[in-house]
Every structure is written in structure tokens, then in C-alpha cells.
């Protein structure tokens, strides 16, 4: 009797274990985990990133979810997220929770390079794939991590496109001045631009920084007038960039190209009037950027996802505002996860990882391709979009003028043309 009971107990454990295995195998959703800065200093940018992600989830779930070949079915996407309060310490605690308690299949990074650097440590420890959005820092990808993949163009290429634009427009223009704010971000971008300029045959006539909060650029303007550069690039944040642009205009500086960080990408920049005219700036993405199926075809790349018009229309309808690059980054991160799962035919991290390594495609956001070498996971394909303030019907508007194939208007050159 006792022996019979013992056998039934053993069989019961066997079937129970088998049942759990079957439940585990019978996957019915894909869980994507992340944190959002619902509070704290990063709230505005993080919210827009979250909105973009949410629109993607709605888009893919309306199709029935993501098709997983190994399971022979589509699985809907479910989000699991928490407020990180814009805190690095909280990020690490929450990403451990997302992995160990919420059983997230894949991760999305928080907004900002600082918070993403903290999350990347956890993703690597648990060997969970994480798409990094809202993070431009190169240093995240210099630590040997093999599970974090960057969506943004890295900081080292923020201003190099301005030099490419200048070279394409005017091969004889060689003299460059780099004037930048004393902040870690601006210094990293300016240093990378300096190295790129020297490597590609430009002559660096100025490389100087200014203190945060600078409102008088007279000494720099005097040096610019003396050195007569073809291009002035640099800047830092909105306030200093706006002031610098004003003072360049007031002095009627005969410069061929002016390209500044941050300030010209903000709609408020138009308030400085004619001083904004023909100023250029890098941006991760702009609604007018014309990355299309035709762009992909010309480059011999596959196209994936929705058009820019679809994205802008549906985002604006849902949230009552035109999307910026934070929202576009969120949506395209979802597209990248979707495509990697479909290409892998699996939810297994090692297979999806290989699909990401092999990825090279075009989306409405631009090209996506990842580094497989020294800076594993760093973004290689995506280029900064360059915008220029132009006069359209008596009104200042932002136009996309670079890279080729993405233009919404012709590049107006030189900058000093407005003084004629």
C-alpha cells in the first residue's frame, strides 16, 4: 500500500513538473521591461520616449503581435515598467526586479546615457538583451558588454556630419573653428569633431571652450574674425547656443557654415528672428526627414516598419502634439525588437542577439546597424539628421538638408548669404 502511494506521489510530481514545463513553453505573450522617469529631472524626455514605445505596442498588437516561428504563432506584447525617479540607484534595483520577478523577455533602457549605463550593468549580468534609447554616450559600449544595443547615433558623431555636409557642398572649404561649452557632453562631441576634422584634411584654426552661463562671446568673435574660418561648429545647450547665434548675426560674421548643438533643434530658436536664418544643427530625427522605401532601395537595404507620415499622423492624433526624436527613438526601438524576433524566429536571447548582429535595414527613423567589434552594440548605421532654419513664405521653418536622401529642402549656402 505504502509502495503504491509512493509511486503515485512520484508520478504526481512528474506530471506536475511536466505541466509547469508545458506552461512555461506555451508562451502567450512577450514581456518587455523598462523604467520611465515619471518623476525627476528627466520626466519630459522620458515621457515622450514612452509615448513612442506605447504607439509601437498598439501598432504591433493590432497585427496580432509578433510572429515567433519556433512557436508557430503570433504573441502580443505586454509592457512592465516602473518609475525610476531619474535615479541611477533606483534603475539598478528595478532592472533586477524586471528580470527576476517580472520575467521580462527583453529590456528597453531608461532615458539618458547616465541611467542607461546603470541599467546596462544589470542587463549584462543577467544576459538580457536591452535596446538603448535616449542614450548617445560612446562609453557605455567601451566596457565589453554584449547585450546592449544602441538606437541613437553616438555622441562621437554628433557634429562630424556638419563637416561631411561642408565637404560635399564646398570641397575647398577647409578652415574650421570649434567653440564649445565646458560640459562633459559638449566636450566629448567637440573633441570627436576635432579628431574627425584633422583626420579628414580640415585645418583647425580654433578649438576653445567657454564657461557654462556665458552671455558675452566678444572675445571668441574677435578670434573668429581674425582666423577667418569657413565653418564654426560647437555650442552646448539652448541658452548659450541661442546667445552665440545672436552675436554672430549682430557682428555680421562672414562664415560659410554655422552648426550648433541643441539650440537650433528647439522650435523656440525661431524667436531670435533673422539671427536663426541658415543656422544648422544635428538632430537624431525630424518629422520632415525623408527616409522612405525609395531611400532603402537606393542603398540596397531592406525596409521595415511604417512611414514617417504614418508615425507623425498617428502620434499627433494620439497625443495631440508633433513627435520629436525622443518619441521616434521609442517607436523604432520597438520595431528593432520586433524585427530581431521575427528574423530569429525565436525568443531565445542568443538567437535574437545573432539577429541583431546581422541587422542592417532602413526605417522611417533612418538606417539601423550595430557594431560587432570593439564597441559591440554601438550604433553604426544611423546618421544625425541636419536641419537648417530657412524662410518659407515669410516664416522661419526647420528644413532637413542632410544626409542625402533624407532632405526636405535644398541646403542654403553660405550662412553669410543673409547679409547680402
Amino acid at each position: 500500500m505504502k509502495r503504491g502511494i509512493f509511486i503515485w506521489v512520484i508520478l504526481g510530481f512528474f506530471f506536475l513538473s511536466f505541466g509547469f514545463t508545458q506552461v512555461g513553453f506555451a508562451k502567450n505573450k512577450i514581456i518587455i521591461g523598462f523604467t520611465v522617469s515619471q518623476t525627476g529631472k528627466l520626466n519630459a524626455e522620458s515621457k515622450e520616449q514612452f509615448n513612442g514605445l506605447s504607439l509601437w505596442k498598439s501598432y504591433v498588437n493590432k497585427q496580432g503581435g509578433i510572429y515567433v516561428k519556433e512557436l508557430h504563432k503570433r504573441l502580443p506584447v505586454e509592457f512592465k515598467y516602473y518609475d525610476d525617479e531619474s535615479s541611477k540607484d533606483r534603475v539598478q534595483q528595478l532592472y533586477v526586479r524586471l528580470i527576476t520577478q517580472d520575467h521580462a523577455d527583453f529590456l528597453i533602457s531608461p532615458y539618458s546615457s547616465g541611467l542607461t549605463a546603470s541599467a546596462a550593468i544589470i542587463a549584462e549580468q543577467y544576459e538580457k538583451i536591452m535596446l538603448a534609447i535616449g542614450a548617445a554616450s560612446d562609453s557605455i559600449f567601451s566596457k565589453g558588454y554584449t547585450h546592449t544595443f544602441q538606437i541613437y547615433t553616438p555622441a562621437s558623431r554628433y557634429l562630424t556630419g556638419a563637416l561631411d555636409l561642408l565637404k560635399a557642398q564646398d570641397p575647398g572649404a577647409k578652415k574650421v573653428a570649434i567653440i564649445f561649452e565646458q560640459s562633459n557632453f559638449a566636450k566629448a562631441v567637440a573633441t570627436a569633431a576635432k579628431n574627425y576634422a584633422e583626420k579628414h584634411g580640415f585645418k583647425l584654426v580654433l578649438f576653445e571652450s567657454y564657461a557654462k552661463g556665458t552671455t558675452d562671446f566678444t572675445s571668441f568673435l574677435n578670434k573668429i574674425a581674425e582666423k577667418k574660418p569657413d565653418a564654426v561648429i560647437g555650442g552646448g545647450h539652448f541658452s548659450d547656443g541661442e546667445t552665440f547665434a545672436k552675436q554672430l548675426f549682430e557682428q555680421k560674421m562672414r562664415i560659410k557654415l554655422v552648426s550648433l548643438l541643441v539650440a537650433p533643434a528647439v522650435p523656440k530658436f525661431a524667436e531670435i528672428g533673422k539671427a536663426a536664418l541658415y543656422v544648422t544643427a544635428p538632430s537624431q530625427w525630424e518629422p520632415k526627414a525623408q527616409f522612405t522605401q525609395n531611400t532603402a532601395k537606393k542603398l540596397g537595404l531592406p525596409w521595415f516598419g511604417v512611414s514617417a507620415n504614418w508615425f507623425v499622423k498617428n502620434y499627433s492624433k494620439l497625443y495631440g502634439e508633433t513627435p520629436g526624436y525622443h518619441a521616434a527613438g521609442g517607436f523604432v526601438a520597438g520595431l528593432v525588437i520586433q524585427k530581431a524576433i521575427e528574423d530569429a524566429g525565436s525568443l531565445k536571447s542568443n538567437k535574437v542577439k545573432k539577429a541583431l548582429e546581422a541587422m542592417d535595414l532602413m526605417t522611417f527613423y533612418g538606417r539601423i546597424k550595430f557594431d560587432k567589434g570593439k564597441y559591440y552594440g554601438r550604433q553604426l548605421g544611423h546618421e544625425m539628421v541636419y536641419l537648417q532654419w530657412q524662410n518659407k513664405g515669410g516664416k522661419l521653418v526647420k528644413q532637413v538638408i542632410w544626409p542625402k536622401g533624407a532632405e526636405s529642402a535644398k541646403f542654403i549656402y553660405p550662412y553669410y548669404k543673409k547679409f547680402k
Side-chain angles (χ1 to χ4, degrees), residues 89-102:
D89 292 336
R90 185 158 169 78
V91 160
Q92 292 207 334
Q93 295 167 6
L94 291 173
Y95 274 80
V96 170
R97 179 176 177 176
L98 286 165
I99 296 166
T100 61
Q101 296 182 37
D102 299 316

Side-chain angles (χ1 to χ4, degrees), residues 128-404:
K128 279 286 180 182
I129 289 171
M130 182 173 77
L131 270 292
I133 49 177
S137 173
D138 292 75
S139 64
I140 297 169
F141 303 89
S142 65
K143 304 182 186 300
Y145 299 155
T146 60
H147 290 81
T148 299
F149 294 82
Q150 184 181 41
I151 294 298
Y152 278 10
T153 302
S156 59
R157 301 210 312 273
Y158 261 61
L159 281 173
T160 57
L163 299 173
D164 293 335
L165 173 61
L166 180 63
K167 188 174 182 178
Q169 180 68 33
D170 186 355
K174 296 293 184 182
K175 296 167 69 176
V176 177
I178 302 178
I179 312 293
F180 59 97
E181 183 189 48
Q182 290 171 7
S183 66
N184 290 338
F185 167 69
K187 183 180 178 181
V189 171
T191 301
K194 173 181 179 290
N195 295 337
Y196 189 85
E198 292 173 340
K199 184 178 178 181
H200 289 82
F202 292 95
K203 182 180 179 181
L204 200 66
V205 296
L206 274 177
F207 184 77
E208 294 195 18
S209 64
Y210 54 86
K212 291 182 180 180
T214 294
T215 57
D216 184 357
F217 290 92
T218 301
S219 63
F220 295 98
L221 295 174
N222 289 338
K223 291 177 182 179
I224 290 169
E226 178 189 348
K227 299 292 185 180
K228 296 181 173 58
D230 296 305
V232 174
I233 65 176
H237 291 86
F238 182 82
S239 182
D240 55 288
E242 180 187 53
T243 302
F244 187 42
K246 280 182 186 177
Q247 293 178 15
L248 281 172
F249 173 71
E250 288 164 0
Q251 295 299 314
K252 291 184 168 56
M253 304 297 291
R254 289 186 64 81
I255 301 162
K256 293 182 176 180
L257 174 73
V258 175
S259 196
L260 303 175
L261 294 168
V262 180
V266 178
K268 188 181 176 184
F269 189 72
E271 294 177 10
I272 65 175
K274 199 172 180 180
L277 197 61
Y278 305 153
V279 174
T280 68
S283 174
Q284 291 287 348
W285 176 83
E286 290 291 320
K288 289 184 179 179
Q290 296 300 304
F291 294 111
T292 65
Q293 293 188 48
N294 285 336
T295 310
K297 187 176 181 180
K298 288 177 183 177
L299 294 173
L301 295 172
W303 169 265
F304 188 72
V306 302
S307 68
N309 288 340
W310 184 99
F311 174 68
V312 172
K313 178 182 176 181
N314 284 274
Y315 186 95
S316 301
K317 183 179 179 181
L318 189 60
Y319 299 110
E321 61 184 17
T322 301
Y325 69 80
H326 300 104
F331 192 96
V332 83
L335 287 180
V336 169
I337 288 178
Q338 178 186 349
K339 186 68 165 69
I341 292 170
E342 290 176 358
D343 287 350
S346 174
L347 297 179
K348 294 173 184 174
S349 289
N350 62 330
K351 292 186 177 181
V352 175
K353 188 166 173 280
K354 287 181 180 178
L356 287 166
E357 289 176 350
M359 187 174 289
D360 189 5
L361 52 78
M362 183 68 68
T363 70
F364 78 90
Y365 177 80
R367 188 174 182 177
I368 299 293
K369 183 181 180 180
F370 303 104
D371 195 333
K372 300 188 288 290
K374 182 180 178 182
Y375 290 89
Y376 185 95
R378 186 173 64 169
Q379 182 57 228
L380 286 180
H382 188 257
E383 293 184 62
M384 296 299 285
V385 167
Y386 273 77
L387 59 91
Q388 183 182 47
W389 284 93
Q390 298 183 3
N391 187 322
K392 187 175 182 180
K395 183 180 179 181
L396 281 171
V397 296
K398 286 191 291 183
Q399 298 284 12
V400 174
I401 46 90
W402 185 264
K404 290 181 178 179

